[in-house]
Amino acid sequence: MTFLDWLQNDTGGLLTLAAVSVALLLIMIMRLRLEPFIALIVTGVLVALVAGVSVTDLVGTPIKASDSLFETGFAGILGHIAPIIGLGTVLGAIMERSGGADALTERLLRLFGPKGAPLAMGVTGLVLGIPVFFDIGIFVLAPLVYVAARRGGRSLVLYAMPMLAGLSMTHAFLPPHPGPVTAGGLLGVGMGWVIAMGLLCGVPAWLVSGVWWGSFIGRRIQVGVPEDLPSGAAPAAAPGPAGSARDTGDGNGDGNGDGDGDGDPGGGTAGVRTAETAGPRTAVAVAAPPSVALISSIIAVPLVLILAATVAGVTLPEGTVLRDVLVLLGTPAIALTLSVLLALYLLGIRRGTSMAELGRISGESLRPVGMILLVVGAGAFFGKVLQTTGVGDALAGSMTAIGLPVIASAYLISAALRIAQGSATVAIVTTAGIIGPTVAAGGYSQPQLALIVVAVSAGSIIASHVNDGGFWIVAKYFNMTVKQTLMTWTVLETILSVVGFAAAALVWAVV
């Protein structure tokens, strides 16, 4: 047997090929600074050729390429996630520009009072984090955190950590964010189950990492509000007699780094969601911020519709009118479209914003989405190659022989990839490709598949450190040194990851 035959046919050879492919991917991203989507394509093509896939099977022919690995790998996932990510991005942009964050924070600060201000900031991050990307949430909420810290006269860390945990949890575990949407699409699980399990596992993780850890570390690390605010984060107006915070400025900031997820907690990649997406608010939004009830209702619409469709699909017989209506309205793309239309009217047109301005906001918000989709498509192609060549089956067999449950394997692989190269999206799509054959052959139920998605997403946010753009955004916006950021933010993300996975593992034992 030649070395090439060994690589292509022997379990040990296929495992070696898998290890080399991941190492090559990391080298291209970390050492050569190649864009992740290019690195994924290059790695996928090389693995396919070495594994013996024919050129025709890989890329098709000049006449027909629609059945090739390359096109089916890309198209199979993008048709599922592109509308969801695009609509979710537009919804978040409209809500962010409307002044909803100010209104939400003001109401929560009044409700919880001065002593409960850190928890109020955490709840704000949790709610606003559903429609708004992580780094945009920071750009918008940082000035409000500064106001709360000045009023309370305590460390900025005490107020920032709960808010950051809320933003990170929703970004990692809940649609329409790229991480859970991508993992759910690659593993074939309905978004309703992803939402249900994401909330079930994510909320306890937020409580432990944001509320408990934030309170613990916030009393031990003293960080003052920066005198010179980060670029674009205009100081919030001093609160009025009732403690209300007014306009926070334009929300722009320097989203350097990879920008994906905390810059990358749950999805995205190099250059994604930079400050370009956080443009100036309209005069109408600043003058008359929307009510908290309105903001909360618009956020709840797609979640409720998707969950209702999931319940209807399980409990109602096929062919009934009610089931068909709920399934139609609860299709993620349809549910988000309805929510976007509501936001356009209720937060825009009804409050005096022109369609031209709303179109400009929507267009600006969609510009960075292209990079997310390219990474996801390239990662899906790479995963398709791993499955077709037998590399995925070899890995699945090895994990089974070790006796490690698939949910634990998913978490550990995702966590290792995240720590090594910093991008949550690369960790998610690579992990999904590796565990895909095991999942496909396991006959898992939809709730179990959703828990595997939670495990993959949880692994993809662990230990945010210096190779993650989000690490530097947090350090800059909250006036911390590298050591302080490691002691606060890095530990928070690790707790969020571990507790999220532990909750998924516990639920796995009973579903």
Side-chain angles (χ1 to χ4, degrees), residues 71-84:
E71 291 204 7
T72 56
F74 264 86
I77 186 62
L78 291 182
H80 173 72
I81 73 161
I84 299 173

Side-chain angles (χ1 to χ4, degrees), residues 14-28 39 43-44 46-47 382 386 391 395 430 434:
L14 290 168
L15 291 174
T16 300
L17 186 58
V20 171
S21 68
V22 172
L24 178 62
L25 182 64
L26 296 177
I27 289 171
M28 284 191 284
T43 304
L46 291 177
V47 170
F382 179 56
L386 292 180
V391 171
L395 283 166
T430 306
I434 290 173

Side-chain angles (χ1 to χ4, degrees), residues 102 143-144 146-148 150-151 229 234-240 243-249:
D102 301 45
L144 300 172
Y146 301 155
V147 170
R150 285 195 181 110
R151 288 179 59 202
L229 299 181
S244 62
R246 302 302 179 190
D247 178 40
T248 63

Side-chain angles (χ1 to χ4, degrees), residues 263-299:
D264 186 359
T269 188
V272 175
R273 294 192 305 282
T274 63
E276 289 181 344
T277 60
R281 294 176 183 166
T282 65
V284 172
V286 173
S291 69
V292 172
L294 180 60
I295 291 292
S296 301
S297 297
I298 293 173
I299 291 173

Side-chain angles (χ1 to χ4, degrees), residues 328-385:
L328 173 64
L329 297 179
T331 300
I334 301 297
L336 279 165
T337 298
L338 293 174
S339 189
V340 168
L341 291 175
L342 285 173
L344 286 170
Y345 176 71
L346 296 174
L347 301 180
I349 295 170
R350 196 178 73 168
R351 302 174 64 242
T353 306
S354 68
M355 283 302 300
E357 175 67 8
L358 291 170
R360 183 189 66 79
I361 292 170
S362 300
E364 285 181 355
S365 70
L366 288 172
R367 262 184 279 170
V369 169
M371 184 59 71
I372 300 175
L373 298 179
L374 285 171
V375 173
V376 170
F381 161 65
F382 179 56
K384 187 85 170 177
V385 167

Side-chain angles (χ1 to χ4, degrees), residues 5-82:
D5 288 335
W6 177 74
L7 278 178
Q8 295 175 354
N9 300 301
D10 188 83
T11 298
L14 290 168
L15 291 174
T16 300
L17 186 58
V20 171
S21 68
V22 172
L24 178 62
L25 182 64
L26 296 177
I27 289 171
M28 284 191 284
I29 293 173
M30 298 168 62
R31 294 289 184 182
L32 303 181
R33 303 295 182 184
L34 201 60
E35 285 285 353
F37 89 90
I38 298 175
L40 283 162
I41 290 174
V42 171
T43 304
V45 170
L46 291 177
V47 170
L49 293 175
V50 171
V53 175
S54 70
V55 172
T56 300
D57 289 338
L58 179 59
V59 297
T61 68
I63 298 174
K64 184 180 181 182
S66 58
D67 295 331
S68 67
L69 276 179
F70 195 84
E71 291 204 7
T72 56
F74 264 86
I77 186 62
L78 291 182
H80 173 72
I81 73 161

Side-chain angles (χ1 to χ4, degrees), residues 457-505:
S457 298
S460 76
I461 62 171
I462 195 170
S464 169
H465 62 95
V466 295
N467 65 357
D468 173 23
F471 177 92
W472 299 105
I473 294 174
V474 170
K476 176 179 180 180
Y477 268 79
F478 298 107
N479 201 27
M480 293 188 289
T481 65
V482 170
K483 180 179 179 181
Q484 288 172 331
T485 310
L486 288 168
M487 294 172 65
T488 57
W489 165 248
T490 302
V491 175
L492 182 151
E493 284 287 85
T494 302
I495 294 173
L496 185 64
S497 169
V498 172
V499 176
F501 168 68

Side-chain angles (χ1 to χ4, degrees), residues 65-454:
S66 58
D67 295 331
S68 67
L69 276 179
F70 195 84
E71 291 204 7
T72 56
F74 264 86
I77 186 62
L78 291 182
H80 173 72
I81 73 161
I84 299 173
I85 292 176
L87 290 164
T89 301
V90 172
L91 176 62
I94 294 170
M95 298 191 71
E96 181 260 311
R97 304 294 175 86
S98 72
D102 301 45
L104 179 63
T105 306
E106 175 185 342
R107 175 66 63 85
L108 289 171
L109 286 172
R110 287 180 178 179
L111 179 65
F112 287 96
K115 291 185 178 180
L119 181 58
M121 296 310 306
V123 175
T124 302
L126 196 67
V127 175
L128 192 68
I130 294 173
V132 175
F133 283 133
F134 176 87
D135 47 0
I136 301 304
I138 290 180
F139 303 152
V140 173
L141 293 179
L144 300 172
V145 175
Y146 301 155
V147 170
R150 285 195 181 110
R151 288 179 59 202
R154 304 165 83 176
S155 174
L156 190 60
V157 173
L158 183 66
Y159 301 89
M161 291 299 113
M163 182 272 288
L164 290 170
L167 290 174
S168 184
M169 189 285 281
T170 53
H171 196 98
F173 295 138
L174 296 180
H177 292 289
V181 170
T182 299
L186 290 171
L187 298 179
V189 56
M191 287 297 104
W193 285 111
V194 175
I195 293 171
M197 295 304 172
L199 287 170
L200 186 61
C201 301
V203 171
W206 166 71
L207 288 171
V208 176
S209 63
V211 179
W212 175 77
W213 171 251
S215 176
F216 176 85
I217 197 65
R219 288 174 170 79
R220 287 159 177 80
I221 294 183
Q222 296 301 314
V223 174
V225 177
E227 294 296 330
D228 297 322
L229 299 181
S231 172
S244 62
R246 302 302 179 190
D247 178 40
T248 63
D250 66 3
N252 283 331
D254 179 11
N256 290 333
D258 72 356
D260 60 56
D262 299 334
D264 186 359
T269 188
V272 175
R273 294 192 305 282
T274 63
E276 289 181 344
T277 60
R281 294 176 183 166
T282 65
V284 172
V286 173
S291 69
V292 172
L294 180 60
I295 291 292
S296 301
S297 297
I298 293 173
I299 291 173
V301 164
L303 300 181
V304 171
L305 288 175
I306 293 170
L307 288 171
T310 300
V311 173
V314 173
T315 60
L316 298 178
E318 289 189 22
T320 59
V321 174
L322 179 59
R323 182 183 190 274
D324 290 344
V325 170
L326 290 175
V327 169
L328 173 64
L329 297 179
T331 300
I334 301 297
L336 279 165
T337 298
L338 293 174
S339 189
V340 168
L341 291 175
L342 285 173
L344 286 170
Y345 176 71
L346 296 174
L347 301 180
I349 295 170
R350 196 178 73 168
R351 302 174 64 242
T353 306
S354 68
M355 283 302 300
E357 175 67 8
L358 291 170
R360 183 189 66 79
I361 292 170
S362 300
E364 285 181 355
S365 70
L366 288 172
R367 262 184 279 170
V369 169
M371 184 59 71
I372 300 175
L373 298 179
L374 285 171
V375 173
V376 170
F381 161 65
F382 179 56
K384 187 85 170 177
V385 167
L386 292 180
Q387 295 176 36
T388 302
T389 57
V391 171
D393 288 325
L395 283 166
S398 298
M399 288 188 294
T400 303
I402 294 173
L404 205 60
V406 66
I407 191 171
S409 300
Y411 177 74
L412 293 174
I413 294 169
S414 181
L417 288 167
R418 158 67 168 185
I419 293 169
Q421 48 77 47
S423 169
T425 298
V426 173
I428 287 171
V429 296
T430 306
T431 302
I434 290 173
I435 68 171
T438 303
V439 172
Y444 297 106
S445 66
Q446 284 288 299
Q448 289 175 320
L449 290 174
L451 290 169
I452 295 172
V453 169
V454 171

